[in-house]
Amino acid sequence: MSNILEVTDLEVTYRSRSADLVAVQDVSFSVGRGELVGLVGESGCGKSTTINALLRLLPRAGRVTAGMALLDGHAGPLDLLSVDEKRLRDVRWRDIAIVPQGAMNSLNPVMPVGKQLADGVTAHRDASTPEVNERISELLNLVGLAEETTGRYAHELSGGMKQRVCIAMALMNRPALVIADEATSALDVIVQRLVAQTILDARDKMGTSFIVIGHDIGLMAQLVDRIAVMYLGRIVETGPVIDVLTDPKHPYTELLLASVPEVGKEAPAVQSGGLVASPVTGGCAFRERCPEAMEVCAAETPPVRRRSGGGEFACHLDRHG
Ligand code: SF4
């Protein structure tokens, strides 16, 4: 495999009392070695469901109903969606790790940080104490924290420090791919920059690939190489981050970008009224809110068009092609 991860036609369905709800549909994307890929979209668009499906961490009502997710792990390629539990345990944290949403609040309050980092290694493989200590020291240095942090408890750390401890924890076993789910949310802008720099340093010094989940387009622009924009369970546009942000092809991407406030300018007058269409009906899911919707948008699923320079977008409008 040339990529570290290749996701093809992922579909996730949630069971409810009245009907099954398809929450993620036809999601395909890849992550190259050492590449940073951003997954953006508003709350509820399916970003976290997508990565929870890859890690088999969906809640009880959710299940993968189609698709494949090939990961090139230490023991060769495997499909994360169908591999047995034993092999999956071997792969988690060694080949693919996650910094989950709200991770910094999940540190053990009664255990020093160093012990928690050490457990991250010894729970997954045999390692001597000197080896573990050396690894902890190396990673604290990478994430910009002092060695003394090992003796501190979570309540003694700031939000940014806790988040960097969580990134160090994800990197302990040198996974090839880390998923950072809203890793910079709930942090002030200066600390966000520090955490983003930590991710860039990990990529540059260890060659780690990242999937960065978030809704801060401005931060994504400075952090990732490629971006995938999700709306109501589908990827509506992908491409190199600069191309997508400077020349969006999909009306939803345009709307997302127009909603980013700029210093010194009046707040943008973004019209995003209309209801969110049901994902189980046909046509384009964005049609009720799209300022450029046409009759065909309600009747037919939008075709996927290629962007020049790489990437794709799904829309009936071809004036953008
Ligand atoms: Fe808008 Fe139609 Fe394109 Fe959907 S397919 S984004 S409704 S123009």
Side-chain angles (χ1 to χ4, degrees):
M1 274 174 74
S2 57
N3 292 314
I4 191 69
L5 179 73
E6 288 174 5
V7 179
T8 312
D9 297 332
L10 175 67
E11 181 181 284
V12 178
T13 305
Y14 283 104
R15 215 172 299 122
S16 77
R17 278 198 192 142
S18 48
D20 283 356
L21 174 76
V22 180
V24 162
Q25 204 168 7
D26 297 332
V27 164
S28 300
F29 66 94
S30 62
V31 183
R33 291 168 202 280
E35 190 179 33
L36 300 183
V37 174
L39 207 50
V40 297
E42 61 198 23
S43 298
C45 70
K47 307 184 295 287
S48 294
T49 295
T50 298
I51 56 121
N52 285 336
L54 299 184
L55 291 160
R56 307 260 289 271
L57 296 174
L58 287 170
R60 204 183 256 272
R63 69 202 147 97
V64 172
T65 37
M68 189 183 264
L70 280 182
L71 176 79
D72 198 7
H74 70 278
L78 53 80
D79 180 9
L80 289 170
L81 306 181
S82 62
V83 68
D84 63 66
E85 274 296 328
K86 187 172 173 299
R87 184 101 190 268
L88 187 64
R89 265 200 304 277
D90 183 40
V91 163
R92 277 193 197 135
W93 298 101
R94 282 188 69 178
D95 291 319
I96 183 169
I98 183 170
V99 182
Q101 232 180 90
M104 62 182 175
N105 299 322
S106 63
L107 288 174
N108 189 330
V110 294
M111 189 187 278
V113 160
K115 173 84 173 78
Q116 296 184 59
L117 287 169
D119 282 357
V121 177
T122 53
H124 295 277
R125 63 187 170 90
D126 293 332
S128 65
T129 305
E131 188 195 338
V132 171
N133 289 342
E134 192 185 327
R135 184 75 186 133
I136 290 173
S137 157
E138 189 187 328
L139 277 171
L140 287 179
N141 185 32
L142 177 81
V143 302
L145 293 173
E147 296 250 352
E148 301 84 77
T149 312
T150 51
R152 301 265 192 96
Y153 289 86
H155 71 272
E156 298 178 288
L157 307 178
S158 68
M161 290 168 85
K162 282 190 274 190
Q163 194 60 286
R164 281 180 283 161
V165 167
C166 292
I167 293 172
M169 207 172 274
L171 293 168
M172 283 301 283
N173 291 298
R174 302 179 196 276
L177 175 64
V178 172
I179 297 173
D181 191 1
E182 305 279 4
T184 58
S185 297
L187 297 173
D188 66 62
V189 285
I190 293 172
V191 181
Q192 277 184 356
R193 282 296 311 157
L194 271 176
V195 171
Q197 190 58 50
T198 301
I199 290 173
L200 286 169
D201 288 347
R203 185 267 293 274
D204 295 344
K205 293 178 183 161
M206 296 171 58
T208 315
S209 306
F210 279 84
I211 299 174
V212 183
I213 315 282
H215 50 259
D216 185 337
I217 294 263
L219 193 72
M220 286 285 178
Q222 298 167 54
L223 182 58
V224 301
D225 304 307
R226 274 190 307 126
I227 198 165
V229 181
M230 286 193 80
Y231 184 78
L232 207 62
R234 290 175 185 265
I235 291 179
V236 295
E237 183 159 11
T238 61
V241 68
I242 298 304
D243 293 2
V244 171
L245 300 191
T246 55
D247 184 22
K249 304 294 190 191
H250 194 281
Y252 176 64
T253 314
E254 286 179 343
L255 205 65
L256 262 188
L257 289 170
S259 67
V260 177
E262 284 182 59
V263 175
K265 289 193 177 174
E266 273 185 37
V270 177
Q271 298 294 322
S272 60
L275 299 170
V276 176
S278 166
V280 294
T281 58
C284 173
F286 189 52
R287 63 184 181 273
E288 297 289 342
R289 300 169 73 189
C290 180
E292 302 182 67
M294 305 166 283
E295 238 172 69
V296 65
C297 303
E300 291 172 27
T301 301
V304 176
R305 304 177 188 281
R306 294 216 164 272
R307 290 181 56 98
S308 57
E312 297 175 332
F313 64 105
C315 184
H316 283 297
L317 280 176
D318 62 5
R319 67 175 170 80
H320 291 301

